[in-house]
Amino acid sequence: EAGVRSDSPKASLLSQIRAGLLAAPLKLGFEGVRRLGEVTRSIDRHLDRALGDAPYWYLNNMVVRDKLPGSGMGTRLLEEQLHVVGKADPDRRLALSTQRPENVTFYGRLGFQIVVDEKIGRGPEAFRSWIMVRSSAAQQGAQHPALGV
């Protein structure tokens, strides 16, 4: 599942361990784990600031293989996910984060708008991060009846 409801329970420590938390320092190093925690906390703060207590779907980790950019595969996958989420929960907005400028353009074509544009971290390790939000399927349908959710 690519999306997570904002009001879903956070992953328990046991589920994080099962997902590989204990192996993370071996794969990423302790500095990598620290950095990952910093990035995750920053994105959570940005989402809270941008969306507050309003319910939303968070679209997580969509990746298209290096050989496929420009093939339309990413657009088709995301449009299908937007359709599924829109039918299941038409009143929730959708949110995502990205750290790649080319993704901002891609998501913008699919109706997402930038609500946060900030750097995460300090010094030479800092990088730009965007939070983007798309209005709910109900709002999209009201604005564009031809979308027919």
Side-chain angles (χ1 to χ4, degrees):
E1 181 176 313
V4 178
R5 288 171 56 122
S6 60
D7 54 359
S8 296
K10 298 290 183 199
S12 70
L13 179 58
L14 181 58
S15 65
Q16 290 178 31
I17 290 170
R18 286 182 181 151
L21 178 66
L22 295 179
L26 298 173
K27 292 181 179 182
L28 303 173
F30 288 106
E31 179 59 23
V33 171
R34 186 201 63 75
R35 181 99 165 123
L36 180 61
E38 176 186 8
V39 169
T40 302
R41 287 187 300 278
S42 292
I43 290 171
D44 286 346
R45 279 194 307 273
H46 293 164
L47 285 165
D48 287 346
R49 190 175 73 223
L51 295 162
D53 292 332
Y56 62 91
W57 280 93
Y58 182 75
L59 301 179
N60 197 15
N61 298 338
M62 189 179 109
V63 178
V64 175
R65 295 187 94 166
D66 289 342
K67 298 176 184 175
L68 295 175
S71 69
M73 179 62 70
T75 300
R76 288 192 300 277
L77 287 171
L78 187 53
E79 284 176 339
E80 177 62 25
Q81 188 68 32
L82 295 173
H83 180 73
V84 168
V85 169
K87 285 186 83 85
D89 208 346
D91 295 320
R92 280 183 192 258
R93 293 184 292 171
L94 294 104
L96 57 85
S97 63
T98 187
Q99 291 72 47
R100 298 179 66 165
E102 62 271 21
N103 289 349
V104 173
T105 302
F106 169 74
Y107 293 125
R109 286 195 310 265
L110 292 166
F112 286 85
Q113 296 180 323
I114 297 169
V115 295
V116 174
D117 177 355
E118 291 192 7
K119 285 197 173 180
I120 293 178
R122 291 182 294 280
E125 299 273 322
F127 59 91
R128 200 165 171 190
S129 182
W130 294 268
I131 300 292
M132 300 183 74
V133 174
R134 183 177 193 259
S135 56
S136 69
Q139 291 169 322
Q140 292 275 327
Q143 294 167 6
H144 309 284
L147 290 177
V149 176

PDB file of all heavy atoms in Angstrom, residues 73-94:
ATOM      1  N   MET A  73       4.960   5.319 -16.790  1.00  0.00           N
ATOM      2  CA  MET A  73       4.667   4.328 -15.755  1.00  0.00           C
ATOM      3  C   MET A  73       4.374   4.994 -14.411  1.00  0.00           C
ATOM      4  O   MET A  73       3.408   4.648 -13.732  1.00  0.00           O
ATOM      5  CB  MET A  73       5.832   3.346 -15.613  1.00  0.00           C
ATOM      6  CG  MET A  73       5.615   2.300 -14.534  1.00  0.00           C
ATOM      7  SD  MET A  73       4.201   1.216 -14.830  1.00  0.00           S
ATOM      8  CE  MET A  73       4.823   0.288 -16.213  1.00  0.00           C
ATOM      9  N   GLY A  74       5.189   5.965 -14.010  1.00  0.00           N
ATOM     10  CA  GLY A  74       4.970   6.651 -12.740  1.00  0.00           C
ATOM     11  C   GLY A  74       3.632   7.368 -12.704  1.00  0.00           C
ATOM     12  O   GLY A  74       2.914   7.309 -11.711  1.00  0.00           O
ATOM     13  N   THR A  75       3.285   8.024 -13.792  1.00  0.00           N
ATOM     14  CA  THR A  75       2.000   8.724 -13.874  1.00  0.00           C
ATOM     15  C   THR A  75       0.853   7.734 -13.746  1.00  0.00           C
ATOM     16  O   THR A  75      -0.090   7.959 -12.986  1.00  0.00           O
ATOM     17  CB  THR A  75       1.893   9.507 -15.199  1.00  0.00           C
ATOM     18  OG1 THR A  75       2.960  10.460 -15.251  1.00  0.00           O
ATOM     19  CG2 THR A  75       0.557  10.221 -15.318  1.00  0.00           C
ATOM     20  N   ARG A  76       0.928   6.627 -14.479  1.00  0.00           N
ATOM     21  CA  ARG A  76      -0.150   5.621 -14.410  1.00  0.00           C
ATOM     22  C   ARG A  76      -0.273   5.029 -13.013  1.00  0.00           C
ATOM     23  O   ARG A  76      -1.384   4.858 -12.499  1.00  0.00           O
ATOM     24  CB  ARG A  76       0.079   4.522 -15.443  1.00  0.00           C
ATOM     25  CG  ARG A  76      -0.176   4.989 -16.872  1.00  0.00           C
ATOM     26  CD  ARG A  76      -0.225   3.842 -17.864  1.00  0.00           C
ATOM     27  NE  ARG A  76       0.982   3.054 -17.942  1.00  0.00           N
ATOM     28  CZ  ARG A  76       2.061   3.366 -18.676  1.00  0.00           C
ATOM     29  NH1 ARG A  76       2.059   4.475 -19.391  1.00  0.00           N
ATOM     30  NH2 ARG A  76       3.115   2.579 -18.693  1.00  0.00           N
ATOM     31  N   LEU A  77       0.857   4.707 -12.384  1.00  0.00           N
ATOM     32  CA  LEU A  77       0.817   4.142 -11.031  1.00  0.00           C
ATOM     33  C   LEU A  77       0.198   5.126 -10.040  1.00  0.00           C
ATOM     34  O   LEU A  77      -0.654   4.761  -9.232  1.00  0.00           O
ATOM     35  CB  LEU A  77       2.218   3.767 -10.570  1.00  0.00           C
ATOM     36  CG  LEU A  77       2.841   2.547 -11.198  1.00  0.00           C
ATOM     37  CD1 LEU A  77       4.315   2.441 -10.811  1.00  0.00           C
ATOM     38  CD2 LEU A  77       2.098   1.286 -10.786  1.00  0.00           C
ATOM     39  N   LEU A  78       0.639   6.375 -10.092  1.00  0.00           N
ATOM     40  CA  LEU A  78       0.127   7.363  -9.152  1.00  0.00           C
ATOM     41  C   LEU A  78      -1.339   7.678  -9.428  1.00  0.00           C
ATOM     42  O   LEU A  78      -2.134   7.799  -8.492  1.00  0.00           O
ATOM     43  CB  LEU A  78       0.976   8.632  -9.182  1.00  0.00           C
ATOM     44  CG  LEU A  78       0.628   9.669  -8.118  1.00  0.00           C
ATOM     45  CD1 LEU A  78       0.631   9.085  -6.715  1.00  0.00           C
ATOM     46  CD2 LEU A  78       1.595  10.843  -8.200  1.00  0.00           C
ATOM     47  N   GLU A  79      -1.727   7.802 -10.692  1.00  0.00           N
ATOM     48  CA  GLU A  79      -3.140   8.059 -11.001  1.00  0.00           C
ATOM     49  C   GLU A  79      -4.026   6.935 -10.475  1.00  0.00           C
ATOM     50  O   GLU A  79      -5.115   7.183  -9.953  1.00  0.00           O
ATOM     51  CB  GLU A  79      -3.338   8.238 -12.505  1.00  0.00           C
ATOM     52  CG  GLU A  79      -2.867   9.589 -13.006  1.00  0.00           C
ATOM     53  CD  GLU A  79      -2.966   9.746 -14.511  1.00  0.00           C
ATOM     54  OE1 GLU A  79      -3.012   8.721 -15.232  1.00  0.00           O
ATOM     55  OE2 GLU A  79      -2.977  10.903 -14.965  1.00  0.00           O
ATOM     56  N   GLU A  80      -3.573   5.684 -10.597  1.00  0.00           N
ATOM     57  CA  GLU A  80      -4.342   4.551 -10.064  1.00  0.00           C
ATOM     58  C   GLU A  80      -4.458   4.652  -8.549  1.00  0.00           C
ATOM     59  O   GLU A  80      -5.537   4.451  -7.994  1.00  0.00           O
ATOM     60  CB  GLU A  80      -3.680   3.225 -10.463  1.00  0.00           C
ATOM     61  CG  GLU A  80      -4.365   2.010  -9.884  1.00  0.00           C
ATOM     62  CD  GLU A  80      -5.803   1.810 -10.337  1.00  0.00           C
ATOM     63  OE1 GLU A  80      -6.178   2.290 -11.430  1.00  0.00           O
ATOM     64  OE2 GLU A  80      -6.576   1.180  -9.594  1.00  0.00           O
ATOM     65  N   GLN A  81      -3.368   4.975  -7.877  1.00  0.00           N
ATOM     66  CA  GLN A  81      -3.406   5.117  -6.419  1.00  0.00           C
ATOM     67  C   GLN A  81      -4.326   6.265  -6.015  1.00  0.00           C
ATOM     68  O   GLN A  81      -5.104   6.146  -5.071  1.00  0.00           O
ATOM     69  CB  GLN A  81      -1.998   5.354  -5.870  1.00  0.00           C
ATOM     70  CG  GLN A  81      -1.925   5.327  -4.364  1.00  0.00           C
ATOM     71  CD  GLN A  81      -2.189   3.960  -3.774  1.00  0.00           C
ATOM     72  OE1 GLN A  81      -1.869   2.948  -4.366  1.00  0.00           O
ATOM     73  NE2 GLN A  81      -2.771   3.927  -2.603  1.00  0.00           N
ATOM     74  N   LEU A  82      -4.272   7.382  -6.732  1.00  0.00           N
ATOM     75  CA  LEU A  82      -5.152   8.514  -6.430  1.00  0.00           C
ATOM     76  C   LEU A  82      -6.607   8.130  -6.603  1.00  0.00           C
ATOM     77  O   LEU A  82      -7.472   8.521  -5.813  1.00  0.00           O
ATOM     78  CB  LEU A  82      -4.805   9.706  -7.322  1.00  0.00           C
ATOM     79  CG  LEU A  82      -3.427  10.336  -7.115  1.00  0.00           C
ATOM     80  CD1 LEU A  82      -3.158  11.388  -8.181  1.00  0.00           C
ATOM     81  CD2 LEU A  82      -3.287  10.914  -5.722  1.00  0.00           C
ATOM     82  N   HIS A  83      -6.896   7.336  -7.631  1.00  0.00           N
ATOM     83  CA  HIS A  83      -8.268   6.878  -7.874  1.00  0.00           C
ATOM     84  C   HIS A  83      -8.750   5.969  -6.736  1.00  0.00           C
ATOM     85  O   HIS A  83      -9.858   6.142  -6.219  1.00  0.00           O
ATOM     86  CB  HIS A  83      -8.334   6.148  -9.214  1.00  0.00           C
ATOM     87  CG  HIS A  83      -9.699   5.641  -9.548  1.00  0.00           C
ATOM     88  ND1 HIS A  83     -10.727   6.476  -9.929  1.00  0.00           N
ATOM     89  CD2 HIS A  83     -10.217   4.390  -9.525  1.00  0.00           C
ATOM     90  CE1 HIS A  83     -11.823   5.765 -10.133  1.00  0.00           C
ATOM     91  NE2 HIS A  83     -11.529   4.498  -9.886  1.00  0.00           N
ATOM     92  N   VAL A  84      -7.917   5.017  -6.331  1.00  0.00           N
ATOM     93  CA  VAL A  84      -8.283   4.085  -5.256  1.00  0.00           C
ATOM     94  C   VAL A  84      -8.529   4.846  -3.955  1.00  0.00           C
ATOM     95  O   VAL A  84      -9.541   4.645  -3.281  1.00  0.00           O
ATOM     96  CB  VAL A  84      -7.186   3.006  -5.072  1.00  0.00           C
ATOM     97  CG1 VAL A  84      -7.391   2.217  -3.793  1.00  0.00           C
ATOM     98  CG2 VAL A  84      -7.148   2.077  -6.274  1.00  0.00           C
ATOM     99  N   VAL A  85      -7.611   5.735  -3.594  1.00  0.00           N
ATOM    100  CA  VAL A  85      -7.752   6.509  -2.366  1.00  0.00           C
ATOM    101  C   VAL A  85      -8.973   7.423  -2.456  1.00  0.00           C
ATOM    102  O   VAL A  85      -9.728   7.566  -1.495  1.00  0.00           O
ATOM    103  CB  VAL A  85      -6.462   7.320  -2.087  1.00  0.00           C
ATOM    104  CG1 VAL A  85      -6.668   8.332  -0.982  1.00  0.00           C
ATOM    105  CG2 VAL A  85      -5.318   6.380  -1.747  1.00  0.00           C
ATOM    106  N   GLY A  86      -9.180   8.026  -3.615  1.00  0.00           N
ATOM    107  CA  GLY A  86     -10.322   8.924  -3.795  1.00  0.00           C
ATOM    108  C   GLY A  86     -11.660   8.225  -3.633  1.00  0.00           C
ATOM    109  O   GLY A  86     -12.598   8.782  -3.071  1.00  0.00           O
ATOM    110  N   LYS A  87     -11.758   7.003  -4.111  1.00  0.00           N
ATOM    111  CA  LYS A  87     -13.006   6.249  -3.947  1.00  0.00           C
ATOM    112  C   LYS A  87     -13.187   5.794  -2.502  1.00  0.00           C
ATOM    113  O   LYS A  87     -14.294   5.815  -1.973  1.00  0.00           O
ATOM    114  CB  LYS A  87     -13.023   5.037  -4.880  1.00  0.00           C
ATOM    115  CG  LYS A  87     -13.285   5.408  -6.329  1.00  0.00           C
ATOM    116  CD  LYS A  87     -13.437   4.194  -7.205  1.00  0.00           C
ATOM    117  CE  LYS A  87     -14.800   3.627  -7.169  1.00  0.00           C
ATOM    118  NZ  LYS A  87     -15.788   4.191  -8.042  1.00  0.00           N
ATOM    119  N   ALA A  88     -12.107   5.385  -1.862  1.00  0.00           N
ATOM    120  CA  ALA A  88     -12.186   4.869  -0.493  1.00  0.00           C
ATOM    121  C   ALA A  88     -12.443   5.979   0.524  1.00  0.00           C
ATOM    122  O   ALA A  88     -13.115   5.754   1.526  1.00  0.00           O
ATOM    123  CB  ALA A  88     -10.892   4.142  -0.142  1.00  0.00           C
ATOM    124  N   ASP A  89     -11.918   7.147   0.273  1.00  0.00           N
ATOM    125  CA  ASP A  89     -11.961   8.226   1.261  1.00  0.00           C
ATOM    126  C   ASP A  89     -11.973   9.575   0.540  1.00  0.00           C
ATOM    127  O   ASP A  89     -10.993  10.310   0.548  1.00  0.00           O
ATOM    128  CB  ASP A  89     -10.724   8.101   2.159  1.00  0.00           C
ATOM    129  CG  ASP A  89     -10.947   8.659   3.541  1.00  0.00           C
ATOM    130  OD1 ASP A  89     -11.940   9.386   3.756  1.00  0.00           O
ATOM    131  OD2 ASP A  89     -10.106   8.367   4.410  1.00  0.00           O
ATOM    132  N   PRO A  90     -13.103   9.920  -0.103  1.00  0.00           N
ATOM    133  CA  PRO A  90     -13.138  11.083  -0.996  1.00  0.00           C
ATOM    134  C   PRO A  90     -12.960  12.447  -0.327  1.00  0.00           C
ATOM    135  O   PRO A  90     -12.714  13.431  -1.011  1.00  0.00           O
ATOM    136  CB  PRO A  90     -14.510  10.981  -1.661  1.00  0.00           C
ATOM    137  CG  PRO A  90     -15.322  10.134  -0.761  1.00  0.00           C
ATOM    138  CD  PRO A  90     -14.375   9.212  -0.065  1.00  0.00           C
ATOM    139  N   ASP A  91     -13.061  12.506   1.000  1.00  0.00           N
ATOM    140  CA  ASP A  91     -12.971  13.805   1.671  1.00  0.00           C
ATOM    141  C   ASP A  91     -11.586  14.129   2.222  1.00  0.00           C
ATOM    142  O   ASP A  91     -11.382  15.201   2.772  1.00  0.00           O
ATOM    143  CB  ASP A  91     -14.000  13.884   2.803  1.00  0.00           C
ATOM    144  CG  ASP A  91     -15.429  13.847   2.258  1.00  0.00           C
ATOM    145  OD1 ASP A  91     -15.675  14.478   1.213  1.00  0.00           O
ATOM    146  OD2 ASP A  91     -16.273  13.168   2.860  1.00  0.00           O
ATOM    147  N   ARG A  92     -10.636  13.220   2.086  1.00  0.00           N
ATOM    148  CA  ARG A  92      -9.284  13.463   2.609  1.00  0.00           C
ATOM    149  C   ARG A  92      -8.371  14.026   1.537  1.00  0.00           C
ATOM    150  O   ARG A  92      -8.357  13.555   0.412  1.00  0.00           O
ATOM    151  CB  ARG A  92      -8.644  12.167   3.103  1.00  0.00           C
ATOM    152  CG  ARG A  92      -9.108  11.766   4.452  1.00  0.00           C
ATOM    153  CD  ARG A  92      -8.374  10.516   4.888  1.00  0.00           C
ATOM    154  NE  ARG A  92      -9.023   9.980   6.049  1.00  0.00           N
ATOM    155  CZ  ARG A  92      -8.568  10.132   7.287  1.00  0.00           C
ATOM    156  NH1 ARG A  92      -7.436  10.736   7.500  1.00  0.00           N
ATOM    157  NH2 ARG A  92      -9.240   9.645   8.299  1.00  0.00           N
ATOM    158  N   ARG A  93      -7.573  15.014   1.943  1.00  0.00           N
ATOM    159  CA  ARG A  93      -6.530  15.501   1.051  1.00  0.00           C
ATOM    160  C   ARG A  93      -5.393  14.486   1.004  1.00  0.00           C
ATOM    161  O   ARG A  93      -5.326  13.577   1.826  1.00  0.00           O
ATOM    162  CB  ARG A  93      -6.005  16.849   1.539  1.00  0.00           C
ATOM    163  CG  ARG A  93      -7.056  17.939   1.424  1.00  0.00           C
ATOM    164  CD  ARG A  93      -6.511  19.278   1.804  1.00  0.00           C
ATOM    165  NE  ARG A  93      -6.212  19.299   3.235  1.00  0.00           N
ATOM    166  CZ  ARG A  93      -5.569  20.284   3.843  1.00  0.00           C
ATOM    167  NH1 ARG A  93      -5.147  21.324   3.153  1.00  0.00           N
ATOM    168  NH2 ARG A  93      -5.349  20.252   5.123  1.00  0.00           N
ATOM    169  N   LEU A  94      -4.508  14.655   0.051  1.00  0.00           N
ATOM    170  CA  LEU A  94      -3.344  13.782  -0.082  1.00  0.00           C
ATOM    171  C   LEU A  94      -2.095  14.624   0.088  1.00  0.00           C
ATOM    172  O   LEU A  94      -2.030  15.748  -0.422  1.00  0.00           O
ATOM    173  CB  LEU A  94      -3.340  13.120  -1.456  1.00  0.00           C
ATOM    174  CG  LEU A  94      -4.496  12.155  -1.658  1.00  0.00           C
ATOM    175  CD1 LEU A  94      -5.540  12.783  -2.541  1.00  0.00           C
ATOM    176  CD2 LEU A  94      -3.983  10.882  -2.248  1.00  0.00           C
TER     177      LEU A  94
END
